[in-house]
Amino acid sequence: MIGVDLGGTKILAGLVDSAGRVETSLERATPIGSQQELVSALIDVVDELRTPDVTAIGFAVPARVDRRGVALGAVNIPLTELSFRDGLGDKLGLPVGAINDASAAALAEHRLGAGRGTSDLVLLTLGTGVGGGVVISDRVYDGWAELGHMVIVVDGEPCFGACNGRGHVEAYCSGTAADRIAVREIGEGATAHDLVAQRHPALEQIGHYLGAAIGSLVNVFDPEVVVVGGGFGLAAGELLLGPARAVMQREALPGGPEVRLVPAELGVSAGMIGAAFVALEAD
């Protein structure tokens, strides 16, 4: 199978076997000029990886994906009403599956990574935006699961891209939000990378907001484990998870089993591997 993880800044695609092992992969920048340009780039990466043994393709996309395999709209890239299952499937001549990118990562982490052996899992990906995936009783929840657009501060910071909301998790805990904070705290040209490199105290505040969000998610889903991934989330690691864990434990209702808050184990490959599992089901 081919798994393609479409992100806000990069496309990661690879040949993946049925056990989730990545045989080869490639990375390309995500074009954001138009949807047509974006679709052409996706076709190009598939064609570059394609071999006669490939029987299906799975796409993980940072958008709401309905049960027809249609991406209804993305916040950070030009993607609206695009049919992956039928439209791209016809162009590529193979069965195609599509899933929200964070749900793909949740699927992969549940089967092979930090959620192995659990039945219930919540995953947050902190990258360009904040994605969310939920596994309940060993099944990926296939609704919107737009956990990054939960309100954690009423009338708070404006969200990004096509989202008109305020005070969302994404506005406080994403890599984009961290870039904005880095400019404010360090100076023009600074990025989230500089916050991490300097172990900047601002990361503790970001972790505080993250923990508040996770505490609410624990109260809603009662997971055994909460996994944090994404480029920014993995780079910051315990600089975020330490303060987040303390706030999560405060906000979660007492009396339930202890919830583990851990980093993703599959790294940035989780979405690609999860997309390949979706391809396996589409075949």
Side-chain angles (χ1 to χ4, degrees):
M1 298 98 59
I2 292 177
V4 182
D5 184 14
L6 171 59
T9 58
K10 66 182 179 182
I11 300 168
L12 182 62
L15 283 172
V16 183
D17 69 16
S18 59
R21 291 184 291 264
V22 180
E23 298 174 355
T24 185
S25 65
L26 60 83
E27 182 179 314
R28 299 288 183 268
T30 301
I32 58 173
S34 69
Q35 180 161 299
Q36 182 178 1
E37 185 182 0
L38 184 61
V39 169
S40 294
L42 294 175
I43 292 173
D44 287 345
V45 297
V46 169
D47 286 343
E48 191 168 340
L49 287 167
R50 194 166 178 167
T51 70
D53 295 330
V54 171
T55 59
I57 304 157
F59 290 92
V61 296
R64 295 167 291 159
V65 180
D66 70 12
R67 290 170 176 82
R68 302 168 297 157
V70 176
L72 301 179
V75 172
N76 297 303
I77 59 174
L79 189 63
T80 305
E81 294 292 336
L82 177 63
S83 172
F84 279 83
R85 187 181 303 164
D86 296 328
L88 273 184
D90 290 345
K91 292 179 185 295
L92 294 167
L94 285 174
V96 165
I99 188 173
N100 172 269
D101 58 347
S103 292
L107 174 62
E109 289 289 344
H110 175 253
R111 292 188 182 179
L112 301 175
R116 290 187 310 278
T118 66
S119 295
D120 303 287
L121 169 151
V122 170
L123 176 137
L124 291 172
T125 56
L126 313 185
T128 304
V130 174
V134 181
V135 175
I136 301 173
S137 299
D138 294 318
R139 293 181 60 86
V140 174
Y141 173 67
D142 62 359
W144 300 145
E146 288 286 358
L147 306 185
H149 294 280
M150 290 184 359
V151 176
I152 54 173
V153 179
V154 175
D155 297 326
E157 293 284 350
C159 208
F160 306 112
C163 179
N164 296 318
R166 302 185 73 93
H168 295 179
V169 180
E170 188 163 298
Y172 290 87
C173 302
S174 64
T176 304
D179 287 341
R180 182 170 62 186
I181 292 168
V183 170
R184 185 183 69 211
E185 294 290 328
I186 300 174
E188 195 65 33
T191 68
H193 174 80
D194 297 301
L195 292 180
V196 174
Q198 297 181 18
R199 304 177 69 87
H200 198 281
L203 292 171
E204 182 173 356
Q205 185 62 44
I206 297 172
H208 186 96
Y209 285 119
L210 179 63
I214 292 172
S216 293
L217 292 170
V218 168
N219 290 336
V220 172
F221 293 109
D222 187 27
E224 297 160 77
V225 60
V226 177
V227 180
V228 174
F232 172 56
L234 291 172
E238 280 297 317
L239 296 173
L240 288 182
L241 297 190
R245 194 174 289 111
V247 178
M248 175 195 77
Q249 291 168 348
R250 185 191 72 196
E251 298 298 338
L253 291 170
E258 183 176 351
V259 179
R260 293 183 293 121
L261 175 58
V262 299
E265 291 184 4
L266 301 179
V268 295
S269 297
M272 177 180 65
I273 294 169
F277 284 142
V278 172
L280 185 63
E281 296 170 3
D283 187 4

